[in-house]
Amino acid sequence: MKPTPRARGRLHPFLRPHPPPSTWSPRPSPLRSHATTPPPPPPPPPTRTVRSIAALLSSTPTAAPAPTPPPSLTIHGFIRSIRKQKRVAFAVLADGSTTEPLQVVLSPAQAEGLSTGAGVRLTGQWVACAAGREQSHELQATAVTLLGAADAGTYPLQKKQQSNEYLRTMPHLRLRTPFNALLLRLRSHAIGRVTAFFAARGFVHAHPPVISSSDCEGAGEVFRVLGSTEEAEEEVEVGAAADPGAAHAASASASFFRTPRYLTVSAQLHLEAVAQAVGHAWALAPAFRADRSDTARHLAEFYMLEAEMAFVDDVAAVMALVEALVRDLVRSVRDSPLGSELLRAKGHDGVEEDGVEDGGGAAAASSSASSAPVPLLARWHGILHPTAWPRIAYATAIDRLQAAVASHEARFAHAPSWTGGLHAEHERFLARVYGGNGGGGGGGDGNASSDGAAPAPPQPVFITDYPRALKPFYMAPSAAPAPAAAAVGVAPTVACFDLLVPGIGEIAGGSVREHRLPQLLEAMRRAGLLLAHDGGGGGGGGPAAAAVAAAEADDDDDERLIPDGLRWYVDLRRWGSVPHAGFGLGFDRLLAYVAGVRNVKDVVTWPRWAGRCDC
């Protein structure tokens, strides 16, 4: 029978060719034992690159048995300190991701050339330490690569305690200290949290301009933006003395923007325009103020967290939003590793009130001397306390301050009065009395319970309905006059608030905005923001000029007297203007309060204040 193609290709086992002698080996017998052949050693564990020291420490169990063999890893960082001995060297490595140190064990040869501040790449085994050591694990280095050398003799951040004043002289290096790196991570966390907060409530994030055509607050403390050289500016000033008309023309031609422009002090006016388009808007943007106050609360450049809401005519809704925002941020910090690090960094020390640094002298110190130091955790508990934050009318606050002076409960450098406004010393006193902190303010003002239990933690306090003369022109009148204000027949109030926190004072302010065109123009006239009746110049006139304008101008004149820098803002009231409200919160001050930092300059990466702009 003819074989099939498949069978034709097969060969009998005896007819198959044997492999060459060099490669042939007998097939092992199934009866032969393999016990005499040792198994090959397991491959060494792969070396993994660790993202950060924080990730390594958080992923290392403290009580689990050490694996065999210990894992091998590579990590980058900076030498915070190094101690070299005859047979071994110990280094503390940091990378800014945590305040917890990472100890590295090196040989003397590996430690050669390493010094404090040097940037390195280390490879080694992550092994468990003996019981009782401060750190559960340490890195036993097997390879060291010096990536950036540092001269130990000149490096300014040595292993010793440096004061905040000293660190402020080197903002480019102070970020390498553990606590300043922690504050930088706190700021990053806060930005992410407030972004999520507003996104969940349908707010649109906007980027307002830094260069503005007006002074939003009307205080005059602005930085002017110049595109010309100082020499050209001096020539214009010289020409002004000889020929004012020619000097004005020369100034316009020399100016980059043709008319005066300034660094913004607030994004509010621009956010009002955004809110008219999208309903709700918010921004976190830099602001600038040419304020020469050298206190723990003031900066020339700072960040403002601002929001505007269309179709809102109740200031209580704005206060509720601010309270929800701050509560959400503090809760997220408390429940995160950042909160644990802040509490460890602060230990059990209290956070002192910053009275003397605000320039109040002995009187300011006296007004806050009865306030005990507030632990950081108590600050958080006060913000998160289930009761709503107190809301006190300005008239009531003034009465309380004057009563404190009359009873010798407190002394102030500035006598409290209806027309004098609230100074920093007044704000701290009111925050302590009405916000708690064992307030003992008399008359049940504090938060101490009536049954003698421990007082509630200190809470922030809202002060509402300020006199119209003390606030900017854009605020709408109060819905109803405060009873105390009506009783004494004082000037009208506006629908506004300031938020005070114990130890710092004001950190936020908000109001209902005046959305009606005639009332807005009248407010601008009272504030002296309309031009003189002859329309001359590009400036803002003054109270006397405004009085003349009010007596001589009609409605058509008001249109001609609007300064160019505010004409666009007035235009918002012409077409589809609706009730709206908003607030501005000092982001740096809030972070200082949450972190328990006395001086706002220490929570800003690159602080600028009068006389100091180092980097």
Side-chain angles (χ1 to χ4, degrees), residues 54 135 165 170 276 308 331 384 409 411 429 457 569:
Q135 192 166 303
E165 290 77 8
M170 54 184 80
Q276 297 275 3
E308 290 292 323
R331 185 180 298 109
L384 300 175
E409 179 186 354
R411 292 184 298 112
F429 178 85
Y569 182 71

Side-chain angles (χ1 to χ4, degrees), residues 24-51:
W24 179 85
S25 61
R27 181 177 299 176
S29 170
L31 301 179
R32 184 178 301 173
S33 173
H34 297 280
T36 59
T37 304
T47 299
R48 63 186 179 96
T49 299
V50 180
R51 178 169 50 89

Side-chain angles (χ1 to χ4, degrees), residues 212-219 259-262 264-266 268-270 272-273 472-474 517 520-521 523-531 538-541 558-575:
S212 175
S213 60
S214 64
D215 174 7
C216 173
E217 301 294 337
T259 56
R261 291 296 181 261
Y262 313 95
T264 182
V265 297
S266 171
Q268 178 209 314
L269 304 188
H270 296 90
E272 288 188 47
F473 71 97
Y474 50 73
L517 179 59
L520 181 66
L521 291 175
M524 293 176 66
R525 181 183 294 112
R526 286 195 305 266
L529 295 177
L530 296 182
L531 302 175
D558 285 344
E559 300 295 328
R560 296 188 294 106
L561 300 180
I562 299 172
D564 291 338
L566 287 173
R567 186 170 296 278
W568 68 271
Y569 182 71
V570 175
D571 281 347
L572 296 176
R573 272 64 179 173
R574 301 183 192 279
W575 305 292

Side-chain angles (χ1 to χ4, degrees), residues 70-109:
S72 180
L73 54 88
T74 297
I75 195 165
H76 300 81
F78 298 90
I79 302 295
R80 186 188 300 176
S81 64
I82 187 167
R83 179 165 50 94
K84 301 178 182 179
Q85 300 179 357
K86 184 176 181 180
R87 298 181 178 180
V88 69
F90 300 94
V92 174
L93 193 70
D95 63 357
S97 65
T98 177
T99 55
E100 295 297 312
L102 175 66
Q103 179 166 289
V104 183
V105 182
L106 309 103
S107 67

Side-chain angles (χ1 to χ4, degrees), residues 35 63 100 102 126 143 159 178 186 222 313 321 365 376 393 418 429 461 468 471-472 476 527 560 562 584 594 610 612:
E100 295 297 312
L102 175 66
W126 187 237
K159 187 182 177 181
L186 172 65
V222 294
D313 59 1
L321 179 67
L376 181 59
W418 176 265
F429 178 85
V461 179
R468 182 177 64 189
K471 290 297 182 179
R560 296 188 294 106
I562 299 172
V594 172
R612 296 297 295 271

Side-chain angles (χ1 to χ4, degrees), residues 71-164:
S72 180
L73 54 88
T74 297
I75 195 165
H76 300 81
F78 298 90
I79 302 295
R80 186 188 300 176
S81 64
I82 187 167
R83 179 165 50 94
K84 301 178 182 179
Q85 300 179 357
K86 184 176 181 180
R87 298 181 178 180
V88 69
F90 300 94
V92 174
L93 193 70
D95 63 357
S97 65
T98 177
T99 55
E100 295 297 312
L102 175 66
Q103 179 166 289
V104 183
V105 182
L106 309 103
S107 67
Q110 293 170 336
E112 188 69 28
L114 299 185
S115 60
T116 300
V120 296
R121 177 171 57 241
L122 301 176
T123 299
Q125 292 183 324
W126 187 237
V127 300
C129 297
R133 299 281 291 278
E134 180 180 355
Q135 192 166 303
S136 63
H137 288 69
E138 63 186 10
L139 183 67
Q140 294 185 353
T142 58
V144 178
T145 303
L146 179 61
L147 302 177
D151 184 0
T154 59
Y155 185 60
L157 300 179
Q158 297 296 328
K159 187 182 177 181
K160 60 181 181 179
Q161 188 71 23
Q162 287 105 0
S163 67
N164 291 328

Side-chain angles (χ1 to χ4, degrees), residues 80 204 213 233 291:
R80 186 188 300 176
V204 175
S213 60
E233 188 69 19
D291 187 350

